[in-house]
Amino acid sequence: MYSRVLRTVLNVSIKLKNQKIYKNAGLSLPAATLIAQKVLPTYGTTVQHFSDDRIEDNLLLAKDGSQRKNQIDERAQAKLNDMIAEKPELEKFIKILELEIDVLRQNGENVPSNLRPRDWLELVQLSHISKRKKYLDYLFIVEKQQEKRKQEQEENNIKLEQVREERKNRVQDPNEIIYSIGNNSMFRRFVERTMNQLWNWNCLRSMMYGNKIVFDCSYEPYMKPLEVKSCAKQIMESFAINRVHNYPFVIYLCNANLSGPLIERLTRFMPTLFDDDFPMVVTSKSYLELFGRDSIVYLTSNAPKMLETFDPDSVYIIGAYVDKGSKQPVSLGKAKKENVRMAKLPIDKYVQFGDGSGKDLTLNQVMGIMLDAQTGDWEKGMLHVPRRKTYEARMYSLEKKLQRDISYRSRKLEEEGIEGYKSTRPVLQSSGVNDYSHAARAKMREQWNK
């Protein structure tokens, strides 16, 4: 239904634009804004992606769950065969991994009963046995959760059959109205599919006149497989928080390698990514080709200028880069190289970070801040910053740790039978100043031990 409504609006807008009479048509603001946009083509009955690149058939996944799993396994097996063809010694390494897994299974370690081709593709990329054991433990937990879910589903089916049989054998008065699930009810039942259609329509509506935000996917070659997986998950969570917001963005994935691991991970998390009516724009083009250079603002934490107000006429760029190692200002370097404006979020203005807590935020946290910044409410947006990073949370954590140290020392003194330690207990802090730094805590311990 939503696709048909959107198709009607788009077709009318395009016809008016072709006839050059839309200036006097008296259209509403959303439709007028949509007509003013240069490119938003329609194909068939739905909105197509803003990209001139042809999506290869092997990127499209089946909507059926079992077929989708088979497609993913076939791609993983093909990639594994290509890797073996390039490096024949990899086949010997796989046989060693099989022996290693058998030994772990015999020793009672958490090992799944069956490994799929995509699991083998992950295992061959893990160099250390501890990482492989951790990944096998994760697969074991997933397998047990699936078995438990399947068992619960079978039990529920049995209960449902019993209820149906009782309902069938029950003698019902023709004048009686039964209120229950499956019978009469005054409430409409909403299922997950209905809510997904509602939220997706919310994003499709924003594609006509909403603000734009871009994820720069050009950092994919510099990320490790685990970082690529984390980046894809953060993009998925960014889309999830965006579509339930009152003023969602139009999300663009620019500089995307359509056959790379990042897009492959995204299609696993969001199988409908390349559907015609999916409210996200995926393209291998650069944002410099899609938008004017003067309207681009690259968000980087190393920028010298702070973003004071949200500009709806600007296109904000977020670097889709997860770096769990050395923190290098790569986004700052790219912004300078491309000669575009750059800015950093005003986090320090509204949030006081604690000592030892990093100021790095995930992609979905930055998306949440920018969503609330559209209305100028930076304080509400800063609620997306994890509480554990704030000064108050760090002070509370250090205070609790210090109290545990004192309690432990007190118990040890009681066990040793030392009397009078309570009367000689030193004052660990002054009444007016709270200092929980590492040096202050060390001084407190030294004073206490005396």
Side-chain angles (χ1 to χ4, degrees), residues 427-442:
V427 179
L428 299 182
Q429 60 183 24
S430 61
S431 58
V433 180
N434 295 327
D435 187 3
Y436 300 108
S437 63
H438 180 74
R441 288 175 57 208

Side-chain angles (χ1 to χ4, degrees), residues 277-344:
D277 57 351
F278 191 80
M280 183 183 289
V281 180
V282 184
T283 177
S284 59
K285 290 185 176 181
S286 173
Y287 42 82
L288 295 174
E289 302 178 40
L290 305 180
F291 311 104
R293 189 184 298 271
D294 296 336
S295 63
I296 293 175
V297 178
Y298 210 113
L299 297 178
T300 171
S301 59
N302 304 107
K305 184 179 178 181
M306 186 177 294
L307 184 64
E308 298 291 344
T309 57
F310 181 88
D311 184 10
D313 295 329
S314 299
V315 179
Y316 294 95
I317 314 295
I318 301 175
Y321 184 39
V322 175
D323 185 11
K324 296 186 177 181
S326 58
K327 310 297 182 182
Q328 301 294 333
V330 290
S331 56
L332 176 67
K334 184 173 183 182
K336 287 185 176 180
K337 181 179 179 181
E338 294 178 345
N339 194 22
V340 296
R341 290 184 296 165
M342 65 192 81
K344 62 180 178 181

Side-chain angles (χ1 to χ4, degrees), residues 5 10 245 342:
V5 172
L10 293 174
H245 199 268
M342 65 192 81

Side-chain angles (χ1 to χ4, degrees), residues 122 125-126 223-231 261 265:
E122 291 287 341
Q125 296 177 0
L126 299 177
M223 290 188 289
K224 300 177 182 178
L226 186 62
E227 295 172 343
V228 171
K229 181 179 179 180
S230 178
C231 181
R265 282 287 180 182

Side-chain angles (χ1 to χ4, degrees), residues 73-83:
D73 287 340
E74 289 175 0
R75 297 178 190 174
Q77 187 63 49
K79 189 173 182 179
L80 195 60
N81 294 336
D82 294 339
M83 293 173 63

Side-chain angles (χ1 to χ4, degrees), residues 57-71:
D57 294 337
N58 60 354
L59 292 176
L60 303 178
L61 293 176
K63 295 184 178 180
D64 182 67
S66 59
Q67 295 181 6
R68 185 164 61 246
K69 290 181 180 179
N70 293 334
Q71 286 182 352

